[in-house]
Amino acid sequence: MKGIDIHIGEIASPLGRVRELRVGIGRVGSGTWDEPVGPTPCPSPTALRDWDRRLLARYRPFYLPLCDLCCLCTYGKCDLSGGKRGACGITLAAQQSRVALLAACIGTATHTSHARELVSHLIDRYGRQFPLDPGGLAVDLRMPIVELVCGLRPETLADLETVLEYCEGQVVHLLAATHTGQEADPIDFESKVLHAGMIDHVALEVADVAQVSALDFPKADPEAPLVDLGIGAIDREKPVVLVVGHNVPPAVAILDYLAAHGLEGAVEVTGICCTAIDMTRRSPSAKIVGPISWQLRYIRSGIPDLLVVDEQCVRADLFDEARDAGIPVIATSAKNCIGLPDRTKEPADALVEALSTGAVNGMLVLDPEKVGEVAVRAAIRRRPLRRVPPSLDIEAIASACGGCGRCIRACPTEADLPGAVQAAGRGEIAALGAMLASCVGCGRCEEVCPQGIEVHRLMAAACDDCEVYAVRTGRGAIQDVEIREVGGPIVLGEIPGVVAFVGCANYPDGGREVAEMVTEFAKRRFVVCTSGCSAMAAAMHRDEEGLTPYERFSGRFEAGGVVNVGSCVSNAHISGAAVKIASIFAKRRLRGNYAEVADYVYNRVGAVGVAWGAMSQKAAAIAAGFWRLGIPVVVGPHGAKYRRMLLGRQDCDEDWMVRDRRTDEEVYVGPVPEHLFIAAETKEEAMALIAKLAMRPNDTSRGRSIKLSHYIDLYRRCYGRMPDDLHRFVRTKADLPVIQKDELLPLLERNGWSERPIPDPTLLPEEAYQ
Amino acid sequence: MSRTEPWQPAMQGGTVTAPALEKPGALAALVRRARRPLLVVGHRTLVTGGDGELAIDLLARAALKAGIPVAATGDAGPALAVRGVEPAICISAMNLANRLADPAWPGVDGQGPHDIVFVAGLSYALEWTLLSGLRHGAPHLVTVSLSPAYEPHASFSLPNLAWPAWRSLIAGAFGLEEAAP
Ligand code: SF4
Ligand code: SF4
């Protein structure tokens, strides 16, 4: 009975008018609500090209080639420097955008595949008709991104398959555009990067709504529980399972097996990276060890009795490290098999026996439920055999250091490792231990040391970090009522902005900086969101009273709230909140109406993304999804390696003209937001940028004055003087912070400032509005 | 360890790499040649140093001596000001580079495009990418890395240098009084 697919344009029923109903055998993907479909339901890679080009005309790519060469086909290698074209005719600029598109495709494919595996698994377990419910009664607008992009309103797990088919198709088209002899224009590549980002957020939303609904995670709950983070939270007397990765079903199966067998509390279930956050959403008794950068140090501690890896951001050498530490491994993802034999079909008893006795170092098991049982039973049996690593003679090992400096030249944080190692060699180990706080755990220092000194291992041994921090587990979506309460103040500018700290842990100077920024902006009464490794970093910092930001600030989406939405896939709730503001507060139609809603968000919702430690291709895709909605993203210095920035030119007035919808005239709005994608050099610089990028053309005078006061304050803190561009952001005298008016007016007048109107701004032509 | 391999060896550039300025005289010649120079000073000049002196101390004096306007990036601005150098502009490095890539940009003082840009003290990856951006996007500019870490994408770069050698080279090139003989 496959292949039956009925499409009904419109039908009247006792339940109301139903449009665009699509019924197929094996699937029901539909829009069953009475809202006209906008101009771009399920847009193709070119459907929003005009919107992209409007954005990219303002935020032109500034290229930072990581490599002058192209080696993607056998014509090459081609040297593209100095204006030379490759054998295929491509320019260096186009090549950078092409690689940016490849990265975005990898990221989007990864999230889409993650979502697909989750949805398939959950359908197997809970059935096709299992209802989607990301927020109970508090969330009526369940999947704002899917409604906006696809024009669909999924109601069941099976409906999500239709959405994923669309995502998968788009990723294939986008990837095809990177083939030799396809796109050549850099801006067309960049437009496709934005398309990939938009698709990425669809896939993120699918993944998180599916798992929140079926796995009973907190549902848009501002009071999601506080859970423990840190190695110190682990009861080492118990058997310990470690799960690393992003796709949570094996970890959930472990927790469920424990619950079903009365073993809760008998085994410690610990996690690194996003799986860690997601398993605490399932059970607050699970423990978050730390972010992605903690893999080596925790495995080497010898604490875990068994390692389960799923997918994404898992170190490629983790199996080797685990083997060296005597920890057996279960690989659980078809995308991360680690060369291990597939033993999925064998009975659980045999697998437990093989892992417990040390007969094998690891195995591939592609059935989450089986993993749940095997991991628990094997960990319990392994516990008495745990090999506590011998304590290191730090001084003796470090004394071999010849001070060659190779380690510092390999270290992404540029830490003075030789100085610290040599001091340790003299018995002063404190400095070396302290460096662990800013170490990203890459292990490169160890790879290059001619003396064979394992610098990272030594550093971990010199640091007894057994702190336990409280982090609020991922709450999921933002409630409709929260949006109703803050939508107005955000759009008017009275809440100075929404700042989202997202992404990986490749920090220039440790996660402490993320925590400090989170605290700073929460104190300034921005709405602060966190997710993924940044959500963990934010927890690892205490105020004077010993409280982490999650204990100090509320978890509500409100001024001064610190809102952990969850794992990487939960980022869709941050973009989703911006979209919900357009829908719930401003009554814009969402359904297949991307450009109009993006234009609204861009001009009115003062949101800024911060990926201080962005590292992965997934982070690139997530950022691109924010860009297409007109939400700027600030990255740390390593983010420059994404090969290009998207920068505005505040000094070019002609770039900042918009159409005033009230008068239909072209008017100057000032450089707000000034950039779409920029790497900052230091935390202080990032904070001044964040405050500036939160300004929007639509801010009321009261809102603009609040935003300006934060910008001036943070700018002065960084640069020690008044901003030199204030005249570009002040439209009328009423925009000026009241207590600074007398000080600021002369500055403005020196720059030839005069008052100008506050328009009803749009980047779109008139006909684009429904 | 070569003085002219990228300071982070994995950060290889392209087919053309910067000639290294091994002697103070070579750098001094570039300083003399510049008609519209700019010195970009980043935050790492506040952590690089030795014997109680910081890189920013020397660079501030160099800027004053040579009369080169300074762009402060990161949070180097206040530290420059207390050393008697009021930055011509405080700006994020990427934002500045994007303007420098525009041949019509009238410079930090509005007096006309810069011809030589000296850069020091960004984090290595940021300086590396910024210089790559200028190399490809601003062929009208000469870029000179003054950081003690060799930057292959600059038009000219200092080699990898330990503090005493770097100090001596900068002091010699700018004619600061403690210049090594
Ligand atoms: S493991 Fe840590 S100390 Fe070693 S190179 Fe990486 S970041 Fe630097
Ligand atoms: S690479 Fe090894 S020997 Fe060289 S400075 Fe670093 S720790 Fe010392």
Side-chain angles (χ1 to χ4, degrees), chain A residues 103 177 184 201 352 401 524 545 608 663 666 698 712:
Chain A
H201 283 235
V352 172
C401 171
R524 290 175 180 274
E545 290 170 37
V608 184
T663 62
E666 291 279 306
N698 190 63
I712 292 169

Side-chain angles (χ1 to χ4, degrees), chain A residues 296 407 410-415 417 438-446 455-456 459:
Chain A
L296 287 182
C407 50
C411 176
T413 71
E414 301 179 42
L417 298 171
S438 55
C439 167
V440 302
C442 67
R444 287 207 310 228
C445 47
E446 301 183 351
V455 182
H456 178 65
M459 200 182 268

Side-chain angles (χ1 to χ4, degrees), chain A residues 265-283:
Chain A
V267 174
E268 289 281 62
V269 184
T270 66
I272 284 179
C273 217
C274 282
T275 291
I277 292 185
D278 282 344
M279 64 194 205
T280 63
R281 296 165 89 184
R282 175 72 168 180
S283 166

Side-chain angles (χ1 to χ4, degrees), chain A residues 63-66 68 79 92 409 411 414 640 647 649-651 674-675 678 681-682 684-685 715 718-719 721, chain B residues 1 6-8 14-15 42-44 73-75 86-87 90 92 95 99 102 124 128-129 132-133 135-136:
Chain A
Y63 291 106
L64 310 160
L66 262 198
D68 294 358
D79 177 8
L92 189 63
R409 293 179 61 180
C411 176
E414 301 179 42
L647 302 175
R649 282 286 299 273
Q650 64 158 244
D651 54 324
E674 186 178 348
H675 309 292
I678 184 164
E681 186 179 338
T682 60
E684 283 69 26
E685 186 178 279
Y715 185 99
C718 177
Y719 298 113
R721 63 193 199 186
Chain B
M1 184 167 68
W7 186 70
Q8 289 193 347
T15 51
H43 78 289
R44 284 196 69 81
T73 70
D75 24 353
E86 196 52 53
C90 291
S92 74
N95 199 8
R99 292 191 200 180
D102 175 359
Y124 188 71
W128 193 101
T129 46
S132 172
R135 178 174 165 216
H136 297 290

Side-chain angles (χ1 to χ4, degrees), chain A residues 542-709:
Chain A
R542 298 181 197 285
D543 64 11
E544 324 64 64
E545 290 170 37
L547 302 176
T548 73
Y550 298 103
E551 295 168 300
R552 176 171 175 181
F553 302 103
S554 99
R556 285 185 65 76
F557 193 82
E558 64 183 3
V562 174
V563 182
N564 178 12
V565 288
S567 55
C568 285
V569 292
S570 313
N571 279 312
H573 303 307
I574 302 173
S575 50
V579 169
K580 278 184 165 196
I581 290 172
S583 168
I584 294 171
F585 170 71
K587 306 278 182 254
R588 298 293 164 108
R589 290 176 188 157
L590 294 191
R591 192 177 188 184
N593 191 26
Y594 193 92
E596 183 184 331
V597 170
D599 185 58
Y600 181 90
V601 170
Y602 172 64
N603 280 295
R604 289 165 170 80
V605 179
V608 184
V610 184
W612 196 236
M615 168 280 292
S616 68
Q617 299 89 5
K618 294 189 302 160
I622 293 168
F626 283 117
W627 301 334
R628 203 179 219 186
L629 276 175
I631 297 174
V633 175
V634 177
V635 282
H638 291 297
K641 289 181 249 173
Y642 282 120
R643 292 177 172 78
R644 52 93 182 84
M645 307 275 96
L646 299 171
L647 302 175
R649 282 286 299 273
Q650 64 158 244
D651 54 324
C652 297
D653 289 355
E654 63 278 12
D655 285 357
W656 305 101
M657 305 301 286
V658 297
R659 192 168 65 81
D660 184 346
R661 288 179 66 197
R662 273 191 294 267
T663 62
D664 210 28
E665 284 174 2
E666 291 279 306
V667 292
Y668 175 74
V669 284
V672 283
E674 186 178 348
H675 309 292
L676 212 47
F677 184 45
I678 184 164
E681 186 179 338
T682 60
K683 179 194 76 173
E684 283 69 26
E685 186 178 279
M687 291 201 294
L689 268 170
I690 293 163
K692 176 154 75 164
L693 294 177
M695 287 188 244
R696 289 296 180 278
N698 190 63
D699 296 335
T700 59
S701 281
R702 187 174 135 68
R704 181 60 63 88
S705 73
I706 293 169
K707 291 185 181 188
L708 276 172
S709 67

